[in-house]
Amino acid sequence: MKLITQEALKPYEAKLIAYRRHLHQYPELSFEEFETSQFIAKEMTKLEHAEVLPLTKTSLLVKFKSGKPGPKIGLRADIDALPINEEREDCDFISKNPGKMHACGHDAHTAILMAACHYFNDHFEELTGEVWAVFQHAEELLPGGAREIVALGVLDELDFMYGHHLWSMLPTGVIDLKIGAVTANTDIYKAKIIGKGGHSSEPQNCIDPVLIASQIVCRLQSIVSRQLAPLEAGVISNTYIRAGNPLGLNVIPEYAEIGGSVRSTTPEARALFKQQIERIITSSCTDFDASCEIDYTIGYGITKNDADKTEVVKKIAEMIGEAKVIADPPYLCGEDFSAYSEILPTTFAFIGAGNQEKGYIYPHHHPQFGLDEDSFIYGLQMFINVVYNFSDENSKLRI
């Protein structure tokens, strides 16, 4: 088995970190990654053996076609950021775009894949088959960029696709590879509770949407605790509530808005959650003679790792002497890589990027989120070794 070591990849680290720090300073939100995709395209077109192709308005494909027999392997990096204001004092490359932040590590995912492309270009003669580096837009916002790319049909030629996520909740040096389910179904709901506004001293003449919304939020918690089997994983998180005006605290408002995130791990639980959320909202409003408008969005499915391909990837990871390979239970986070796993054999890994001693302790989507840059070399190793150690016969390792 051919393993490209961390030592062999040291020459690419400086470029990788420079890419990441540049991207971190200029985050762009989902479906708006115009400057980000232009930056990637500008850098990748410098590579002699790379063919740079647009996929959507803000995503692109970088192909390396060896001209030799072999599999077509896809590698994916997501490129979008989040609507969060960065609050880090330890960072000298903080976001320059107010209210926008790479708070999930997509800047690093992109930089790692860009560095891998440099390696493929420099070692082009060693390649077989084709390598397709997919720089994907809009992972953070439903319906997601992966679904748009799949709809184009261009990935139908691929034999296998690999992706990974740097994970601050795992320490640097840990690689989490699971067989089967990796992430959860990810849906969202929003509802508008329409009551009857009026003076706060005369609630008997009003239909109070704040009271109704509050009761709905509490009642929704009973779905997981009392309708889902105790050993089955699922989460309903009510993350948004809005009503009234802080300058008019003596006014019962006309309406209230609520919303949240819904995570499930089976088709049955997904259907149950949707049915019960809509039922509780509707019945709660009926009890108070209020009306409601419900918008329930079915989002990402479960990302599933192909058993045979993932066993190969696991063997590759275990060859990395500096790494510890684990298999945690599936996470309840959402990941639109699931769109690829619905049409192709795929493997998706989580690579540890947390470091308590350095202060990288904050979860993803937190305004103080950060990544240990020492973790990036593991991601680079995985991208490159997955490519160089797959054959076109039953995903056996090259000997």
Side-chain angles (χ1 to χ4, degrees):
M1 177 180 180
K2 178 180 180 180
L3 184 77
I4 290 86
T5 65
Q6 292 189 1
E7 189 63 30
L9 297 176
K10 287 292 183 183
Y12 296 88
E13 271 196 299
K15 184 177 290 291
L16 191 169
I17 291 172
Y19 279 155
R20 184 268 173 140
R21 293 186 175 187
H22 170 85
L23 291 165
H24 192 87
Q25 291 180 82
Y26 302 100
E28 295 180 293
L29 302 182
S30 302
F31 300 103
E32 300 175 4
E33 312 94 329
F34 294 100
E35 291 185 9
T36 301
S37 57
Q38 288 169 9
F39 173 76
I40 298 167
K42 178 182 175 183
E43 293 299 312
M44 295 296 96
T45 52
K46 297 176 183 178
L47 304 181
E48 178 184 358
H49 301 291
E51 181 181 358
V52 181
L53 303 166
L55 288 171
T56 67
K57 291 180 179 179
T58 57
S59 63
L60 62 150
L61 171 64
V62 179
K63 280 188 183 182
F64 294 89
K65 300 167 70 172
S66 73
K68 304 172 188 175
K72 294 181 179 180
I73 298 174
L75 304 174
R76 179 271 211 159
D78 35 19
I79 70 175
D80 56 326
L82 286 156
I84 295 173
N85 197 57
E86 190 163 16
E87 298 176 5
R88 291 178 60 193
E89 297 179 357
D90 63 321
C91 180
D92 58 5
F93 51 92
I94 195 169
S95 170
K96 294 184 178 181
N97 294 339
K100 302 175 185 179
M101 177 188 175
H102 272 295
C104 202
H106 297 187
D107 52 336
H109 301 167
T110 301
I112 292 168
L113 187 52
M114 291 173 72
C117 287
H118 278 275
Y119 187 93
F120 300 140
N121 188 72
D122 294 344
H123 300 81
F124 184 73
E125 295 304 318
E126 300 175 23
L127 285 177
T128 59
E130 297 182 13
V131 181
W132 293 22
V134 177
F135 293 92
Q136 182 214 302
H137 64 307
E139 190 279 332
E140 294 287 1
L141 184 65
L142 298 180
R147 188 177 296 179
E148 285 192 351
I149 292 174
V150 166
L152 297 174
V154 296
L155 302 185
D156 294 348
E157 297 180 37
L158 291 179
D159 298 301
F160 173 62
M161 194 163 191
Y162 169 80
H164 55 229
H165 203 305
L166 296 179
W167 202 242
S168 67
M169 297 293 98
L170 292 174
T172 293
V174 172
I175 300 176
D176 180 10
L177 277 163
K178 323 170 198 295
I179 302 291
V182 178
T183 62
N185 295 313
T186 306
D187 306 325
I188 57 174
Y189 85 91
K190 291 182 285 186
K192 184 175 183 179
I193 294 91
I194 304 164
K196 179 182 178 183
H199 201 287
S200 63
S201 68
E202 297 179 337
Q204 74 278 11
N205 295 324
C206 306
I207 299 174
D208 188 349
V210 177
L211 175 63
I212 301 169
S214 301
Q215 292 195 8
I216 290 171
V217 167
C218 293
R219 288 184 66 191
L220 291 181
Q221 299 310 305
S222 68
I223 299 173
V224 172
S225 65
R226 287 296 177 267
Q227 298 185 56
L228 188 69
L231 295 180
E232 187 173 343
V235 172
I236 297 174
S237 292
N238 301 290
T239 56
Y240 170 74
I241 184 164
R242 179 183 178 186
N245 187 325
L247 300 179
L249 298 180
N250 61 344
V251 177
I252 292 176
E254 191 76 14
Y255 66 90
E257 296 174 334
I258 58 174
S261 174
V262 184
R263 309 297 170 104
S264 58
T265 53
T266 66
E268 293 78 15
R270 190 178 213 178
L272 170 71
F273 287 176
K274 180 178 186 296
Q275 179 189 52
Q276 293 303 309
I277 287 171
E278 292 177 340
R279 182 188 66 80
I280 286 173
I281 293 172
T282 301
S283 63
S284 297
C285 289
T286 300
D287 288 345
F288 287 90
D289 293 326
S291 60
C292 61
E293 298 171 358
I294 304 172
D295 181 8
Y296 198 102
T297 302
I298 299 296
Y300 309 151
I302 295 172
T303 298
K304 297 178 181 178
N305 280 351
D306 179 87
D308 293 337
K309 300 291 194 295
T310 303
E311 285 293 348
V312 176
V313 175
K314 183 180 177 182
K315 291 177 183 177
I316 294 169
E318 288 172 342
M319 290 291 292
I320 300 173
E322 299 88 348
K324 177 183 178 182
V325 181
I326 65 170
D328 275 349
Y331 298 146
L332 289 179
C333 60
E335 173 54 68
D336 80 341
F337 194 85
S338 59
Y340 305 126
S341 70
E342 291 171 3
I343 65 165
L344 293 166
T346 60
T347 295
F348 192 82
F350 288 89
I351 296 178
N355 190 315
Q356 286 198 342
E357 293 180 1
K358 296 180 182 179
Y360 298 120
I361 60 174
Y362 294 96
H364 295 252
H365 297 202
H366 190 282
Q368 292 178 268
F369 170 83
L371 294 170
D372 181 7
E373 290 183 335
D374 289 342
S375 69
F376 297 176
I377 194 74
Y378 293 91
L380 184 60
Q381 252 192 310
M382 289 301 294
F383 271 146
I384 292 170
N385 281 292
V386 164
V387 166
Y388 282 98
N389 285 289
F390 266 90
S391 75
D392 56 348
E393 291 184 357
N394 302 319
S395 301
K396 294 178 181 177
L397 294 175
R398 284 197 281 160
I399 303 298

